[in-house]
Amino acid sequence: DQQVKQNSPSLSVQEGRISILNCDYTNSMFDYFLWYKKYPAEGPTFLISISSIKDKNEDGRFTVFLNKSAKHLSLHIVPSQPGDSAVYFCAASRAYSGAGSYQLTFGKGTKLSVIP
Amino acid sequence: NAGVTQTPKFQVLKTGQSMTLQCAQDMNHNSMYWYRQDPGMGLRLIYYSASEGTTDKGEVPNGYNVSRLNKREFSLRLESAAPSQTSVYFCASSVGFGGGQPFNNEQFFGPGTRLTVL
């Protein structure tokens, strides 16, 4: 039973355009969400996070949107650059629940290719 | 400031052999984690240590043991390796609770250990 789903295994975008990566979750107890970026043969790198008290969080070219009623979040990258080509993982946790706070549940990832 | 370091980077074992994966962080984080990543899968939590002196099971703990040696170091041991444990293993750390600040679970990852069990 996959609690965090990234339904698009891959995405190709032209350089300079917007990349939109999507993530759905089924566990209504999740209230903290993170996006990670991973290059081959490296560990994941934290990108941006959002708590359930917000519906948007921005950091430079990266914006995460959260729709709690739809249990859906998305990561927007504008403008996309070739260096953004990587696998992006969505992760979720229960931020205010003691032991559950520590456990991140990851999606399977979306491979983004930004074409020059 | 090296962040999270892991040793070894690569390892090949035969079925039944044992080994310990080492992890250290220099960010003064309270919490540390071990994950495994299999092809086409997200990362799955094996064990975590919320703070020095505590360890807890994650999603896939069977076949593994851990030791939180001190605040900096968290090791993962495979007592009798099996082919199903062939994977890439990542260690991570986070601030967690502490210092009167809100809980922070932004996890910082090491470069990974690629383990093959024959």
Side-chain angles (χ1 to χ4, degrees):
Chain A
D1 175 30
Q2 220 184 325
Q3 297 187 67
V4 177
K5 300 179 184 178
Q6 294 178 257
N7 291 319
S8 298
S10 62
L11 174 68
S12 289
V13 171
Q14 290 285 339
E15 180 179 4
R17 305 293 291 269
I18 184 171
S19 295
I20 300 176
L21 296 98
N22 294 304
C23 178
D24 297 293
Y25 61 97
T26 58
N27 188 340
S28 58
M29 301 299 288
F30 288 146
D31 52 17
Y32 184 63
F33 305 89
L34 307 90
W35 284 93
Y36 283 84
K37 173 181 178 179
K38 186 182 181 304
Y39 293 117
E42 294 185 10
T45 303
F46 170 75
L47 265 181
I48 192 168
S49 63
I50 188 167
S51 78
S52 59
I53 61 173
K54 294 185 175 181
D55 54 18
K56 177 182 174 181
N57 189 26
E58 287 182 84
D59 185 359
R61 297 187 296 115
F62 302 92
T63 303
V64 57
F65 295 92
L66 175 62
N67 183 332
K68 291 185 289 293
S69 61
K71 295 192 180 68
H72 176 84
L73 61 155
S74 60
L75 175 68
H76 293 208
I77 306 173
V78 184
S80 301
Q81 299 173 354
D84 296 330
S85 297
V87 176
Y88 289 78
F89 290 99
C90 171
S93 75
R94 298 166 58 186
Y96 308 107
S97 67
S101 304
Y102 295 94
Q103 302 199 33
L104 291 183
T105 300
F106 283 82
K108 293 185 177 182
T110 296
K111 183 176 182 179
L112 173 65
S113 299
V114 179
I115 304 161
Chain B
N1 189 340
V4 179
T5 57
Q6 293 183 235
T7 55
K9 285 187 167 47
F10 302 93
Q11 184 71 48
V12 179
L13 294 177
K14 294 180 179 178
T15 297
Q17 286 185 317
S18 63
M19 79 160 295
T20 300
L21 282 65
Q22 306 286 354
C23 173
Q25 52 91 10
D26 62 3
M27 296 176 282
N28 200 35
H29 284 171
N30 295 305
S31 306
M32 297 186 73
Y33 311 80
W34 277 104
Y35 290 87
R36 61 178 289 173
Q37 185 190 15
D38 300 301
M41 301 286 289
L43 285 79
R44 292 183 292 169
L45 183 65
I46 304 171
Y47 270 93
Y48 69 97
S49 170
S51 60
E52 187 178 355
T54 70
T55 60
D56 285 285
K57 295 178 181 179
E59 181 185 353
V60 288
N62 291 344
Y64 305 96
N65 286 299
V66 290
S67 295
R68 183 74 182 267
L69 304 169
N70 47 56
K71 190 171 185 179
R72 289 187 64 247
E73 298 172 289
F74 189 38
S75 63
L76 178 72
R77 183 160 178 83
L78 288 70
E79 290 290 352
S80 179
S84 60
Q85 293 178 305
T86 293
S87 189
V88 181
Y89 291 85
F90 292 102
C91 177
S93 69
S94 70
V95 172
F97 289 104
Q101 298 298 315
F103 179 75
N104 183 335
N105 200 22
E106 294 171 9
Q107 296 184 15
F108 294 80
F109 285 80
T113 294
R114 187 173 295 274
L115 175 66
T116 301
V117 183
L118 303 174

